Amino acid sequence: MSHLIDKSNTNFLSAQSLNQSKIYCSSVHCSYYSSVQLMKHIVLTVIGMSENQIRAEKKQTESGTHEFLINKVLIQLRNKGGDWRTFQADIGDAKILRVKSDYKDEEILDKDSDDSLQLATKNNQILKSVFNL
């Protein structure tokens, strides 16, 4: 049983709460990870890969975990006729905001947090609707 959907929902609610509390940096982080956790759930339960298979294939492709999950989910979105182009662009934008929030020596503004929440909302809606989550 996957707990990743619950974690995703919790992270999204946390992102909203942190945004309202003007804790923008952490809000961006939580928004992004709410989508990552949904992607991981899809790879584990819809595609049916095990953690060991993910590790082995990720190592072969020499990609990071998030890139690996994004690429796997994009293939499935295309195969199912989902809005993969929007998802690809938006998850990329969300990742840029998350990197800025977590690693860059830059201020995270309310607009960054609002944008990140909007991107997570769109990304998560696409994933939930296409994969019946």
Short mmCIF file of all heavy atoms in Angstrom, two decimals, residues 75-113:
data_model
loop_
_atom_site.label_atom_id
_atom_site.label_comp_id
_atom_site.label_asym_id
_atom_site.label_seq_id
_atom_site.Cartn_x
_atom_site.Cartn_y
_atom_site.Cartn_z
N ILE A 75 6.08 9.72 -20.20
CA ILE A 75 5.80 8.64 -21.15
C ILE A 75 4.38 8.10 -20.94
O ILE A 75 3.63 7.91 -21.90
CB ILE A 75 6.84 7.50 -21.01
CG1 ILE A 75 8.21 7.98 -21.49
CG2 ILE A 75 6.40 6.25 -21.75
CD1 ILE A 75 9.37 7.07 -21.10
N GLN A 76 4.01 7.89 -19.69
CA GLN A 76 2.67 7.38 -19.39
C GLN A 76 1.59 8.39 -19.76
O GLN A 76 0.53 8.01 -20.26
CB GLN A 76 2.57 7.00 -17.91
CG GLN A 76 3.42 5.82 -17.51
CD GLN A 76 3.03 4.56 -18.27
OE1 GLN A 76 1.85 4.19 -18.33
NE2 GLN A 76 4.01 3.91 -18.86
N LEU A 77 1.85 9.67 -19.49
CA LEU A 77 0.87 10.71 -19.86
C LEU A 77 0.65 10.72 -21.37
O LEU A 77 -0.49 10.82 -21.83
CB LEU A 77 1.35 12.09 -19.39
CG LEU A 77 1.15 12.42 -17.92
CD1 LEU A 77 1.85 13.72 -17.56
CD2 LEU A 77 -0.33 12.50 -17.58
N ARG A 78 1.74 10.64 -22.13
CA ARG A 78 1.62 10.60 -23.60
C ARG A 78 0.81 9.38 -24.04
O ARG A 78 -0.08 9.49 -24.88
CB ARG A 78 2.99 10.57 -24.26
CG ARG A 78 3.58 11.92 -24.45
CD ARG A 78 4.88 11.86 -25.23
NE ARG A 78 5.88 12.47 -24.36
CZ ARG A 78 7.13 12.09 -24.24
NH1 ARG A 78 7.62 11.10 -24.94
NH2 ARG A 78 7.93 12.71 -23.42
N ASN A 79 1.15 8.22 -23.47
CA ASN A 79 0.46 6.98 -23.84
C ASN A 79 -1.02 7.02 -23.52
O ASN A 79 -1.83 6.42 -24.22
CB ASN A 79 1.11 5.79 -23.13
CG ASN A 79 2.50 5.48 -23.66
OD1 ASN A 79 2.89 5.93 -24.73
ND2 ASN A 79 3.26 4.71 -22.89
N LYS A 80 -1.39 7.74 -22.46
CA LYS A 80 -2.79 7.80 -22.05
C LYS A 80 -3.53 9.00 -22.63
O LYS A 80 -4.70 9.22 -22.33
CB LYS A 80 -2.88 7.82 -20.51
CG LYS A 80 -2.46 6.53 -19.86
CD LYS A 80 -2.62 6.63 -18.36
CE LYS A 80 -2.45 5.29 -17.69
NZ LYS A 80 -3.60 4.41 -17.84
N GLY A 81 -2.83 9.78 -23.46
CA GLY A 81 -3.47 10.94 -24.07
C GLY A 81 -3.66 12.10 -23.12
O GLY A 81 -4.50 12.97 -23.35
N GLY A 82 -2.88 12.13 -22.04
CA GLY A 82 -2.96 13.22 -21.07
C GLY A 82 -2.24 14.46 -21.57
O GLY A 82 -1.51 14.42 -22.56
N ASP A 83 -2.44 15.55 -20.89
CA ASP A 83 -1.86 16.83 -21.27
C ASP A 83 -0.39 16.87 -20.86
O ASP A 83 0.01 17.60 -19.96
CB ASP A 83 -2.65 17.97 -20.63
CG ASP A 83 -2.27 19.33 -21.18
OD1 ASP A 83 -1.37 19.40 -22.04
OD2 ASP A 83 -2.88 20.32 -20.74
N TRP A 84 0.41 16.08 -21.54
CA TRP A 84 1.82 15.92 -21.16
C TRP A 84 2.64 17.18 -21.43
O TRP A 84 3.60 17.46 -20.72
CB TRP A 84 2.43 14.70 -21.84
CG TRP A 84 2.53 14.78 -23.33
CD1 TRP A 84 1.57 14.39 -24.23
CD2 TRP A 84 3.62 15.29 -24.10
NE1 TRP A 84 2.00 14.63 -25.51
CE2 TRP A 84 3.26 15.17 -25.46
CE3 TRP A 84 4.86 15.82 -23.78
CZ2 TRP A 84 4.10 15.57 -26.49
CZ3 TRP A 84 5.71 16.23 -24.80
CH2 TRP A 84 5.32 16.08 -26.14
N ARG A 85 2.27 17.95 -22.45
CA ARG A 85 3.02 19.17 -22.75
C ARG A 85 2.90 20.20 -21.63
O ARG A 85 3.88 20.80 -21.21
CB ARG A 85 2.57 19.77 -24.08
CG ARG A 85 3.06 19.01 -25.28
CD ARG A 85 2.65 19.71 -26.59
NE ARG A 85 3.16 18.99 -27.73
CZ ARG A 85 2.48 18.10 -28.42
NH1 ARG A 85 1.23 17.80 -28.08
NH2 ARG A 85 3.03 17.48 -29.46
N THR A 86 1.68 20.39 -21.15
CA THR A 86 1.47 21.31 -20.02
C THR A 86 2.20 20.79 -18.80
O THR A 86 2.88 21.55 -18.10
CB THR A 86 -0.03 21.47 -19.73
OG1 THR A 86 -0.67 22.06 -20.86
CG2 THR A 86 -0.27 22.34 -18.50
N PHE A 87 2.06 19.49 -18.53
CA PHE A 87 2.73 18.91 -17.37
C PHE A 87 4.24 19.09 -17.47
O PHE A 87 4.89 19.49 -16.51
CB PHE A 87 2.37 17.43 -17.22
CG PHE A 87 3.03 16.80 -16.03
CD1 PHE A 87 2.48 16.96 -14.77
CD2 PHE A 87 4.21 16.08 -16.16
CE1 PHE A 87 3.10 16.41 -13.65
CE2 PHE A 87 4.83 15.52 -15.06
CZ PHE A 87 4.27 15.69 -13.80
N GLN A 88 4.80 18.82 -18.64
CA GLN A 88 6.25 18.93 -18.82
C GLN A 88 6.73 20.35 -18.55
O GLN A 88 7.73 20.56 -17.86
CB GLN A 88 6.64 18.49 -20.23
CG GLN A 88 8.14 18.48 -20.48
CD GLN A 88 8.48 17.96 -21.87
OE1 GLN A 88 7.76 18.22 -22.84
NE2 GLN A 88 9.56 17.23 -21.95
N ALA A 89 6.04 21.32 -19.09
CA ALA A 89 6.43 22.72 -18.88
C ALA A 89 6.25 23.12 -17.42
O ALA A 89 7.15 23.74 -16.82
CB ALA A 89 5.60 23.63 -19.79
N ASP A 90 5.12 22.75 -16.84
CA ASP A 90 4.83 23.19 -15.48
C ASP A 90 5.69 22.51 -14.43
O ASP A 90 6.10 23.14 -13.45
CB ASP A 90 3.35 22.99 -15.16
CG ASP A 90 2.46 24.00 -15.88
OD1 ASP A 90 3.00 24.95 -16.49
OD2 ASP A 90 1.23 23.81 -15.84
N ILE A 91 5.98 21.23 -14.61
CA ILE A 91 6.83 20.56 -13.62
C ILE A 91 8.25 21.11 -13.73
O ILE A 91 8.96 21.24 -12.72
CB ILE A 91 6.79 19.01 -13.74
CG1 ILE A 91 7.32 18.35 -12.47
CG2 ILE A 91 7.55 18.51 -14.95
CD1 ILE A 91 6.48 18.52 -11.25
N GLY A 92 8.66 21.49 -14.93
CA GLY A 92 9.96 22.13 -15.11
C GLY A 92 10.03 23.47 -14.39
O GLY A 92 11.01 23.79 -13.71
N ASP A 93 8.97 24.26 -14.53
CA ASP A 93 8.91 25.56 -13.85
C ASP A 93 8.87 25.38 -12.33
O ASP A 93 9.52 26.13 -11.58
CB ASP A 93 7.69 26.35 -14.30
CG ASP A 93 7.80 26.84 -15.74
OD1 ASP A 93 8.91 26.84 -16.30
OD2 ASP A 93 6.74 27.22 -16.30
N ALA A 94 8.12 24.38 -11.88
CA ALA A 94 8.04 24.11 -10.44
C ALA A 94 9.40 23.69 -9.89
O ALA A 94 9.80 24.10 -8.80
CB ALA A 94 7.00 23.01 -10.17
N LYS A 95 10.12 22.91 -10.67
CA LYS A 95 11.45 22.45 -10.24
C LYS A 95 12.42 23.64 -10.14
O LYS A 95 13.21 23.72 -9.20
CB LYS A 95 11.98 21.40 -11.21
CG LYS A 95 13.25 20.74 -10.75
CD LYS A 95 13.64 19.61 -11.68
CE LYS A 95 14.89 18.93 -11.17
NZ LYS A 95 15.33 17.87 -12.05
N ILE A 96 12.34 24.56 -11.08
CA ILE A 96 13.19 25.76 -11.05
C ILE A 96 12.91 26.57 -9.78
O ILE A 96 13.83 27.02 -9.09
CB ILE A 96 12.98 26.62 -12.32
CG1 ILE A 96 13.59 25.91 -13.53
CG2 ILE A 96 13.56 28.02 -12.14
CD1 ILE A 96 13.19 26.50 -14.87
N LEU A 97 11.63 26.74 -9.45
CA LEU A 97 11.28 27.46 -8.22
C LEU A 97 11.77 26.73 -6.98
O LEU A 97 12.26 27.35 -6.03
CB LEU A 97 9.76 27.67 -8.14
CG LEU A 97 9.19 28.76 -9.03
CD1 LEU A 97 7.67 28.68 -9.07
CD2 LEU A 97 9.65 30.13 -8.53
N ARG A 98 11.66 25.41 -6.99
CA ARG A 98 12.11 24.63 -5.83
C ARG A 98 13.62 24.73 -5.66
O ARG A 98 14.12 24.88 -4.54
CB ARG A 98 11.68 23.17 -5.99
CG ARG A 98 11.68 22.35 -4.72
CD ARG A 98 12.97 21.73 -4.33
NE ARG A 98 13.52 20.94 -5.41
CZ ARG A 98 14.66 20.28 -5.33
NH1 ARG A 98 15.37 20.30 -4.24
NH2 ARG A 98 15.13 19.61 -6.35
N VAL A 99 14.37 24.68 -6.75
CA VAL A 99 15.83 24.83 -6.67
C VAL A 99 16.17 26.22 -6.15
O VAL A 99 17.04 26.37 -5.28
CB VAL A 99 16.48 24.54 -8.04
CG1 VAL A 99 17.94 24.98 -8.07
CG2 VAL A 99 16.36 23.06 -8.39
N LYS A 100 15.48 27.23 -6.66
CA LYS A 100 15.70 28.60 -6.17
C LYS A 100 15.41 28.68 -4.67
O LYS A 100 16.18 29.26 -3.90
CB LYS A 100 14.79 29.57 -6.93
CG LYS A 100 14.88 31.01 -6.46
CD LYS A 100 13.92 31.90 -7.24
CE LYS A 100 13.91 33.31 -6.69
NZ LYS A 100 12.93 34.17 -7.39
N SER A 101 14.33 28.06 -4.25
CA SER A 101 13.91 28.10 -2.86
C SER A 101 14.88 27.35 -1.94
O SER A 101 15.23 27.82 -0.87
CB SER A 101 12.51 27.50 -2.73
OG SER A 101 12.15 27.38 -1.38
N ASP A 102 15.32 26.18 -2.38
CA ASP A 102 16.13 25.32 -1.52
C ASP A 102 17.63 25.61 -1.57
O ASP A 102 18.33 25.40 -0.59
CB ASP A 102 15.91 23.85 -1.87
CG ASP A 102 14.56 23.33 -1.41
OD1 ASP A 102 13.84 24.06 -0.70
OD2 ASP A 102 14.23 22.18 -1.76
N TYR A 103 18.13 26.08 -2.71
CA TYR A 103 19.58 26.13 -2.89
C TYR A 103 20.17 27.48 -3.24
O TYR A 103 21.37 27.69 -3.07
CB TYR A 103 20.01 25.13 -3.98
CG TYR A 103 19.62 23.72 -3.66
CD1 TYR A 103 18.66 23.06 -4.42
CD2 TYR A 103 20.19 23.04 -2.59
CE1 TYR A 103 18.29 21.76 -4.12
CE2 TYR A 103 19.82 21.74 -2.29
CZ TYR A 103 18.87 21.11 -3.06
OH TYR A 103 18.51 19.82 -2.76
N LYS A 104 19.39 28.38 -3.77
CA LYS A 104 19.92 29.66 -4.23
C LYS A 104 19.94 30.68 -3.09
O LYS A 104 19.07 30.67 -2.22
CB LYS A 104 19.10 30.23 -5.40
CG LYS A 104 18.98 29.32 -6.59
CD LYS A 104 20.24 29.30 -7.39
CE LYS A 104 20.05 28.40 -8.60
NZ LYS A 104 21.11 28.46 -9.55
N ASP A 105 20.90 31.55 -3.14
CA ASP A 105 20.98 32.65 -2.18
C ASP A 105 20.15 33.82 -2.71
O ASP A 105 20.67 34.86 -3.06
CB ASP A 105 22.45 33.05 -1.97
CG ASP A 105 22.61 34.08 -0.87
OD1 ASP A 105 21.66 34.27 -0.07
OD2 ASP A 105 23.67 34.73 -0.83
N GLU A 106 18.84 33.56 -2.81
CA GLU A 106 17.90 34.54 -3.33
C GLU A 106 16.66 34.57 -2.45
O GLU A 106 16.25 33.55 -1.90
CB GLU A 106 17.46 34.17 -4.76
CG GLU A 106 18.58 34.13 -5.77
CD GLU A 106 18.10 33.69 -7.15
OE1 GLU A 106 16.93 33.96 -7.50
OE2 GLU A 106 18.89 33.06 -7.86
N GLU A 107 16.06 35.73 -2.35
CA GLU A 107 14.84 35.87 -1.58
C GLU A 107 13.69 35.17 -2.31
O GLU A 107 13.56 35.26 -3.53
CB GLU A 107 14.50 37.35 -1.40
CG GLU A 107 13.29 37.59 -0.55
CD GLU A 107 12.99 39.06 -0.35
OE1 GLU A 107 13.58 39.90 -1.06
OE2 GLU A 107 12.14 39.36 0.51
N ILE A 108 12.87 34.49 -1.56
CA ILE A 108 11.67 33.86 -2.10
C ILE A 108 10.49 34.76 -1.74
O ILE A 108 10.21 35.00 -0.56
CB ILE A 108 11.47 32.43 -1.55
CG1 ILE A 108 12.69 31.56 -1.86
CG2 ILE A 108 10.20 31.81 -2.11
CD1 ILE A 108 13.05 31.46 -3.33
N LEU A 109 9.82 35.24 -2.76
CA LEU A 109 8.75 36.21 -2.58
C LEU A 109 7.38 35.52 -2.58
O LEU A 109 7.25 34.36 -2.95
CB LEU A 109 8.81 37.24 -3.72
CG LEU A 109 10.15 37.96 -3.87
CD1 LEU A 109 10.17 38.79 -5.15
CD2 LEU A 109 10.43 38.83 -2.65
N ASP A 110 6.38 36.30 -2.21
CA ASP A 110 5.02 35.77 -2.22
C ASP A 110 4.62 35.30 -3.61
O ASP A 110 3.94 34.28 -3.76
CB ASP A 110 4.02 36.78 -1.68
CG ASP A 110 4.01 38.11 -2.41
OD1 ASP A 110 5.02 38.46 -3.07
OD2 ASP A 110 2.99 38.82 -2.30
N LYS A 111 5.08 35.99 -4.65
CA LYS A 111 4.77 35.57 -6.02
C LYS A 111 5.35 34.19 -6.32
O LYS A 111 4.70 33.37 -6.98
CB LYS A 111 5.29 36.60 -7.03
CG LYS A 111 4.96 36.22 -8.46
CD LYS A 111 5.48 37.22 -9.45
CE LYS A 111 5.18 36.91 -10.89
NZ LYS A 111 4.74 35.61 -11.28
N ASP A 112 6.56 33.91 -5.85
CA ASP A 112 7.16 32.59 -6.04
C ASP A 112 6.30 31.52 -5.40
O ASP A 112 6.04 30.46 -5.99
CB ASP A 112 8.58 32.55 -5.44
CG ASP A 112 9.54 33.50 -6.10
OD1 ASP A 112 9.53 33.62 -7.36
OD2 ASP A 112 10.31 34.14 -5.37
N SER A 113 5.87 31.79 -4.19
CA SER A 113 5.04 30.82 -3.47
C SER A 113 3.69 30.64 -4.15
O SER A 113 3.22 29.51 -4.33
CB SER A 113 4.86 31.30 -2.02
OG SER A 113 4.10 30.37 -1.29
#
